[in-house]
Amino acid sequence: MNACCRWAGRGTARHDPVDPANYLVCAPNASFREGPYLARLTVDLLREHPDQFRLVYRSADSRYRIYATVLDAMKAI
């Protein structure tokens, strides 16, 4: 799986996103050495912040998933 999010902290404790990501895309990453690490980061992110992501697509075998970010929940961070 691959997790891509663009975040830029403004030097505050809140780390407000300058240009928030609208989606988190998870895809197989078996051919990359970083694959297991990225998969673990994605699982941890979704577990620690379940109210900030909404599943909008899942392939039949669940290897590909797309989550929409719930921007109102992210403002509370």
Side-chain angles (χ1 to χ4, degrees), residues 34-55:
E34 298 87 355
Y37 174 72
L38 292 172
R40 187 175 70 241
L41 285 176
T42 302
V43 168
D44 290 347
L45 179 67
L46 295 170
R47 185 186 69 243
E48 292 174 19
H49 305 284
D51 59 332
Q52 295 180 17
F53 300 94
R54 181 175 48 87
L55 183 65

Side-chain angles (χ1 to χ4, degrees), residues 1 3 5 7-8 10 14 17-18 32 35-37 39 42 48 50-51 53 58 60 64-65 74-75:
M1 290 186 277
C5 287
W7 293 95
R10 293 183 182 167
R14 288 176 45 124
V18 173
F32 296 101
Y37 174 72
T42 302
E48 292 174 19
D51 59 332
F53 300 94
R58 178 181 12 216
Y64 296 88
R65 294 177 321 282
M74 292 170 47
K75 290 177 186 176

Side-chain angles (χ1 to χ4, degrees), residues 2-10 15-25 45 53 69 71 74:
N2 184 9
C4 282
C5 287
R6 289 186 305 148
W7 293 95
R10 293 183 182 167
H15 296 288
D16 292 331
V18 173
D19 188 14
N22 293 319
Y23 294 94
L24 170 66
V25 178
L45 179 67
F53 300 94
T69 58
L71 298 177
M74 292 170 47

